[in-house]
Amino acid sequence: MFFDSALDDTNALSVIDPVLRDIAGWGAEVRRAGMAAADALAEIDRDDRPRAVVAGGPNGRLFRAVLEPICPVPFVAWPHTGLPGWAGPLDLVIVVCPGGVGEEELSAVAEARRRGCALLVAAPVDSPVYDAAQGRGTTFVPAGSLDPTAVAVPVLGALHRMGLGPETDAPAVADALDDVAERCGPGVPSDRNPAKELALVLADANPVVWGGSVLAARAARRVADALRSASGRPVVAGDDDQIVPLLQAAPEPDVFADPFEDGATAARPTLVILDDGAEESSGGPARARLEAAAEQGSVRVQQVRAVDGPGIGRFAALLATGRFAAAYLALGLGRPA
């Protein structure tokens, strides 16, 4: 059973206050990371273009999602130990380690130094990763936050200065996150709060989350993880080829079922579309297929939009909205947020 009233009840909301404060503070984390890196970014000049860029460690896939469509050289995310066998002196290796200690990050840095690769490293000053990266050919960005996405913003700014990525402005990303916090905060009523609205829509549903662009698809996977943890239900994120069959196979809705009887109805899917303003998310063929399949299967469709600001800002705004919604969903279901 889902307790709708809890989403606008001050006492009930106090239970998840630490979680909500953490999400609302994401913009401040981005600002701190940007300020910590400002001096280092100002000293970066566009140098010779590398043969390829390798993002090592567990945070590489986010950089691939931002850079792969526009990077003028081949880009590889390498979430494994070490580096690809072909990486060498002509290549740039990116390593982001907000905590300054990480086995995969240290392995990537050590291997890059051994092979003579150029390095772009973000980590706390005087940390093990910082110490391991020191040397000629290393560009160091001080990590001003423990949040990987926040630290990724100034690293993307560094890559832009190197001529390898889009312009990324930390204040603009922080503003996008602050806007989500303002619109999705606990004091905003459910009828005007996108995150509470999404939680209400998903109260008795199995979410199916789709993002059309590369960044929106990555946000979809992380939102699905948050919703799965919040609800304890199966939550799917994937591309249209994976999701369309699920929508077409949705059980017929039973208009006579009593929602208060245990086991009266099986949870049906609800399609959650994350729209970051990219053509693929806003109106491409994949989205048309999904919406047609949802209509055929009488599946509800709920859209979450974040179409202003830089790409990483839209990604973060979609993810923040999903995190808020997951917290409210857990509260309504009486589960830990």
Side-chain angles (χ1 to χ4, degrees):
M1 181 177 294
F2 189 86
F3 297 95
D4 301 32
S5 60
L7 274 57
D8 291 319
D9 183 285
T10 304
N11 290 331
L13 287 165
S14 67
V15 174
I16 60 170
D17 184 67
V19 176
L20 298 178
R21 285 181 180 273
D22 180 62
I23 304 169
W26 206 3
E29 290 292 321
V30 171
R31 286 192 177 86
R32 278 192 284 271
M35 291 176 62
D39 291 343
L41 296 188
E43 296 178 0
I44 295 176
D45 293 321
R46 183 171 299 199
D47 206 343
D48 292 336
R49 181 176 292 179
R51 176 183 62 178
V53 178
V54 180
N59 300 308
R61 290 191 177 94
L62 175 58
F63 290 102
R64 181 179 64 189
V66 177
L67 295 173
E68 194 172 46
I70 61 173
C71 186
V73 300
F75 186 96
V76 176
W78 190 258
H80 312 292
T81 302
L83 295 173
W86 49 262
L90 299 179
D91 305 309
L92 172 67
V93 175
I94 305 169
V95 177
V96 175
C97 188
V101 181
E103 183 177 342
E104 293 180 1
E105 292 89 341
L106 284 167
S107 172
V109 168
E111 191 67 10
R113 297 287 298 145
R114 187 180 72 81
R115 300 191 198 182
C117 303
L119 269 167
L120 172 59
V121 175
V125 176
D126 294 331
S127 65
V129 170
Y130 170 86
D131 292 338
Q134 294 304 299
R136 185 179 179 182
T138 295
T139 300
F140 182 75
V141 176
S145 170
L146 291 175
D147 182 85
T149 304
V151 176
V153 173
V155 173
L156 288 168
L159 289 165
H160 172 68
R161 288 176 173 268
M162 295 175 178
L164 298 172
E167 184 173 2
T168 304
D169 179 53
V173 177
D175 287 345
L177 288 168
D178 288 347
D179 177 67
V180 172
E182 184 176 342
R183 292 185 297 108
C184 297
V188 181
S190 295
D191 59 353
R192 292 186 283 111
N193 188 316
K196 289 182 181 180
E197 180 184 4
L198 179 57
L200 289 168
V201 168
L202 300 178
D204 58 356
N206 287 333
V208 179
V209 192
W210 177 82
S213 72
V214 177
L215 270 172
R218 179 162 181 79
R221 289 191 289 272
R222 293 185 59 179
V223 169
D225 289 341
L227 295 174
R228 188 180 303 114
S229 177
S231 66
R233 299 173 185 156
V235 182
V236 175
D239 59 28
D240 56 305
D241 287 337
Q242 296 168 315
I243 292 176
V244 164
L246 299 178
L247 303 179
Q248 292 173 334
E252 288 291 330
D254 184 355
V255 297
F256 299 107
D258 183 350
F260 296 101
E261 286 187 23
D262 291 336
T265 58
R268 303 187 71 251
T270 290
L271 175 62
V272 180
I273 293 178
L274 304 187
D275 182 357
D276 65 350
E279 182 179 351
E280 310 95 300
S281 293
S282 300
R287 177 163 177 166
R289 285 187 64 207
L290 287 166
E291 291 177 334
E295 182 177 4
Q296 176 185 337
S298 300
V299 171
R300 181 166 184 171
V301 179
Q302 186 73 14
Q303 178 178 248
V304 178
R305 301 185 78 231
V307 298
D308 297 323
I312 186 67
R314 300 194 301 272
F315 160 82
L318 290 173
L319 179 53
T321 304
R323 290 175 64 194
F324 271 115
Y328 294 131
L329 181 62
L331 177 65
L333 292 171
R335 292 175 54 87

